[in-house]
Amino acid sequence: MPELTDKQPSGGEGAFTGGCLLLLVLMADVAAALLVAIVLAARGLGRMNSSGQTATGAPPPDWAPVLGFGALALTVGITAFVLLWIGHRVIGAVQLTLCVFLAFHALGSWP
């Protein structure tokens, strides 16, 4: 009978794969967060007049932070559940925690 140890990866290979997966997911999350930050900064610059001051009067409610951080939280949450589903519990838990923080930040940005 063939040995079961031949078909199962060793602990070192599983840890290396998990570490690479964590690094890849976190780099994707950082890239998405930078995209949200750039969009929000560009919208903030668009609200300034030529002298560098913000426009006078009451501006209309800005939904961009809510939508940006909400979409980012949704993306991170989906990634977390996929990682938990395929068996990477630690990485999924980190992603789920990040999703909760982003969701609270999005709700705090509500106009």
Side-chain angles (χ1 to χ4, degrees):
M1 290 190 78
E3 296 271 340
L4 290 178
T5 57
D6 294 337
K7 294 183 181 182
Q8 294 177 349
S10 66
E13 289 177 10
F16 179 73
T17 304
C20 288
L21 185 62
L22 174 64
L23 183 64
L24 188 64
V25 167
L26 289 179
M27 284 176 38
D29 289 341
V30 167
L34 284 175
L35 181 65
V36 169
I38 289 170
V39 167
L40 292 177
R43 288 189 52 89
L45 289 175
R47 290 181 174 256
M48 290 187 169
N49 59 17
S50 61
S51 65
Q53 301 288 331
T54 57
T56 58
D62 189 14
W63 291 96
V66 175
L67 294 176
F69 288 118
L72 190 59
L74 181 65
T75 304
V76 171
I78 290 171
T79 306
F81 283 117
V82 168
L83 286 170
L84 288 171
W85 184 60
I86 63 174
H88 293 281
R89 291 187 176 139
V90 175
I91 303 169
V94 169
Q95 288 289 105
L96 201 57
T97 304
L98 186 61
C99 172
V100 169
F101 285 133
L102 284 170
F104 279 124
H105 187 70
L107 290 174
S109 301
W110 197 275

